[in-house]
Amino acid sequence: MQRRNFIKAAMGTGLLAAARSGRSEEARILAHRLAAAESATVLKKELFKEPVRIKSAQLLRNGDHFIVRVESDRGAVGMAVSNDMHMIYLYPVLTGKVLPFFINKDARELEKLLSGLYRANSNYKWQGLAFWVCVASLEFAILDLLGQVAGKPVGELLGAIVRRDVAVYQANGVRDKSAEETVEQLLRSVEKTGARAVKYKVGGRMDNNRDSLPGRTEKLIPLARKALPESVTIYADANGSYDAAKAIEIGRLLEANGVAFFEEPCPFDHYGETRTVADVLSIPIAGGEQDASLRQFRWMIENNVLQVVQPDLFYFGGMVRSIRVARMAQEAGIPCTPHISGSGLGYLYMLHFASCVDNIGPYQEYKGENPEVPIVCATSSLRSERGIVRVPSGPGWGVQIEKDFLEKCRVVE
């Protein structure tokens, strides 16, 4: 789907173009709608008639795996697996700055609490992955707790369930293999999972126009399109590899080979260059994995810098904040396809996000289940079957961490 089609289908006669100029009445209307979407309530408090007071909030550890456990004063328990690859460095922030703030607070007031935590003790100075991964880890556990209390899956706490099955794309994170080897891996992934979409890496990852291997990207793009079935959608991720001129050059090659979006063509914080690339190319530009600010997302949406927004459910601070980004994107007629890392149970949280967000786009990122954290799910295999993953429908996240694994955990002080 080309960028012009996003605009035409969603906004009719040029709201986004007007917003780009910032001068017309249409631009002011869009800005107002984005502001309203950003501030609208997410959690359905009406599901809870009585307070759900948080009696305790703990971080548990089993080897390199971290679990947040919260308990209410009435004995209900919620748990979430953190982003392990980051929590191994960040746990002092979680245990020292985040968990204590929520003790004896009413979990029904989650949104106010998140706002209060951001301001408390100048925590806003910590804004970024190091802070928001910790906040998301606790928020996920609180949402599980609330789901247990209400007897509803997380998606029903945050909106209406719009889908029970989620189509996924198989992400390939390899950069150190040749174009031929990468394509072989993509073909195996499609054959194994039945995925109808894939994503590969291009460029050298934040490496100032250098490729990971000489000539790999220019060879990979046409080779992948030729080798993969025509029915398979292809996405490409540069991880900020290029300046604007080189990104446009690579983008032209992606367009010629029918690639459906171009993720992070320029360094994530170089918004001007990303905007230049978006203005020139017709391929949708995706991004947002590294961004930590709701206001920044609002500006990028309002100015049509991105045509696919990708908040990371951990890096951006959880479901509530990410749903606000999705709602802003919906006002501008563009999809929100969240980024997930392969650590912990990110794919599980992605499924619940996709279950209650209208504008998620055709395929969601999937890197496979994580067998290192043993969980039991009665309502889903949690595996990609013919490119589809079923969303668990039990209370909270709809899964249980195996008892033997939990018994080996220790409390992190």
Side-chain angles (χ1 to χ4, degrees):
M1 189 175 189
Q2 292 187 335
R3 179 168 172 260
R4 67 175 70 93
N5 292 334
F6 278 105
I7 299 170
K8 180 180 177 182
M11 305 309 296
T13 56
L15 262 185
L16 283 178
R20 180 75 163 79
S21 70
R23 289 189 294 269
S24 69
E25 179 63 21
E26 288 86 354
R28 288 190 288 274
I29 292 172
L30 177 58
H32 177 75
R33 284 162 47 183
L34 294 180
E38 180 186 348
S39 60
T41 299
V42 176
L43 180 65
K44 293 156 70 175
K45 289 174 56 178
E46 65 272 16
L47 295 174
F48 307 94
K49 303 304 181 186
E50 298 178 343
V52 184
R53 202 160 299 281
I54 298 172
K55 175 184 175 183
S56 66
Q58 296 176 314
L59 179 63
L60 311 178
R61 180 174 183 175
N62 181 339
D64 290 335
H65 304 292
F66 294 84
I67 297 167
V68 178
R69 182 185 187 276
V70 294
E71 183 176 358
S72 76
D73 58 355
R74 300 192 177 199
V77 173
M79 286 189 280
V81 178
S82 183
N83 186 297
D84 297 327
M85 69 180 182
H86 294 303
M87 191 52 61
I88 199 166
Y89 305 109
L90 301 179
Y91 63 84
V93 179
L94 178 60
T95 58
K97 296 183 73 68
V98 176
L99 297 185
F101 182 83
F102 285 80
I103 301 301
N104 294 322
K105 303 292 198 328
D106 185 354
R108 298 177 305 171
E109 302 297 334
L110 176 61
E111 292 180 71
K112 290 182 179 179
L113 293 173
L114 292 172
S115 179
L117 172 67
Y118 183 60
R119 298 192 309 272
N121 302 314
S122 297
N123 283 332
Y124 59 85
K125 296 179 183 290
W126 288 72
Q127 176 163 247
L129 181 150
F131 181 67
W132 290 121
V133 165
C134 297
V135 174
S137 300
L138 178 59
E139 187 220 61
F140 293 158
I142 291 175
L143 289 173
D144 190 49
L145 169 70
L146 291 171
Q148 303 301 325
V149 172
K152 296 182 180 296
V154 166
E156 287 192 36
L157 305 181
L158 305 175
I161 298 297
V162 294
R163 62 186 61 81
R164 293 288 185 185
D165 295 304
V166 177
V168 297
Y169 69 82
Q170 202 71 31
N172 182 291
V174 171
R175 272 194 169 90
D176 60 352
K177 295 187 182 300
S178 68
E180 293 81 1
E181 290 173 304
T182 302
V183 169
E184 287 176 8
Q185 287 187 339
L186 291 169
L187 288 169
R188 287 196 296 270
S189 293
V190 169
E191 182 178 1
K192 179 181 178 181
T193 66
R196 291 173 287 176
V198 297
K199 185 173 78 176
Y200 54 62
K201 301 288 189 178
V202 296
R205 181 185 286 273
M206 298 287 285
D207 203 14
N208 195 28
N209 293 336
R210 285 184 286 270
D211 210 342
S212 57
L213 297 172
R216 175 182 177 273
T217 292
E218 287 81 359
K219 183 182 290 186
L220 172 62
I221 293 170
L223 184 62
R225 183 64 283 171
K226 181 178 180 180
L228 288 163
E230 193 64 32
S231 60
V232 173
T233 296
I234 299 176
Y235 302 129
D237 183 3
N239 291 113
S241 292
Y242 308 119
D243 62 19
K246 185 67 175 179
I248 291 169
E249 176 188 328
I250 298 298
R252 296 292 192 204
L253 185 58
L254 294 170
E255 289 173 346
N257 286 275
V259 175
F261 72 55
F262 188 8
E263 182 176 338
E264 279 193 344
C266 303
F268 67 91
D269 55 349
H270 207 326
Y271 302 108
E273 293 228 322
T274 301
R275 184 172 173 174
T276 296
V277 174
D279 285 344
V280 171
L281 296 178
S282 62
I283 184 173
I285 302 302
E289 167 190 349
Q290 316 296 345
D291 288 285
S293 166
L294 273 165
R295 294 182 181 91
Q296 189 63 54
F297 267 110
R298 179 175 162 185
W299 182 87
M300 289 190 291
I301 293 167
E302 188 171 348
N303 288 276
N304 201 26
V305 176
L306 301 175
Q307 294 76 57
V308 181
V309 292
Q310 297 176 301
D312 184 287
L313 298 181
F314 268 111
Y315 304 167
F316 192 63
M319 298 282 282
V320 169
R321 284 166 51 83
S322 297
I323 284 175
R324 287 178 174 156
V325 171
R327 288 177 176 179
M328 287 191 289
Q330 188 169 21
E331 291 295 334
I334 65 177
C336 177
T337 300
H339 176 270
I340 64 166
S341 68
S343 179
L345 298 182
Y347 70 95
L348 174 65
Y349 309 134
M350 175 277 293
L351 291 173
H352 285 275
F353 181 89
S355 76
C356 65
V357 171
D358 286 314
N359 58 318
I360 59 167
Y363 302 102
Q364 307 308 299
E365 185 166 19
Y366 180 75
K367 295 176 179 175
E369 62 274 15
N370 182 359
E372 295 181 358
V373 181
I375 57 175
V376 177
C377 181
T379 57
S380 171
S381 69
L382 300 177
R383 291 190 295 271
S384 174
E385 299 171 357
R386 297 186 299 277
I388 302 292
V389 185
R390 171 59 60 95
V391 183
S393 56
W397 299 116
V399 303
Q400 295 79 44
I401 302 171
E402 289 188 358
K403 183 178 178 181
D404 289 347
F405 185 88
L406 288 173
E407 288 177 346
K408 295 176 183 177
C409 291
R410 63 177 178 84
V411 177
V412 179
E413 301 294 348

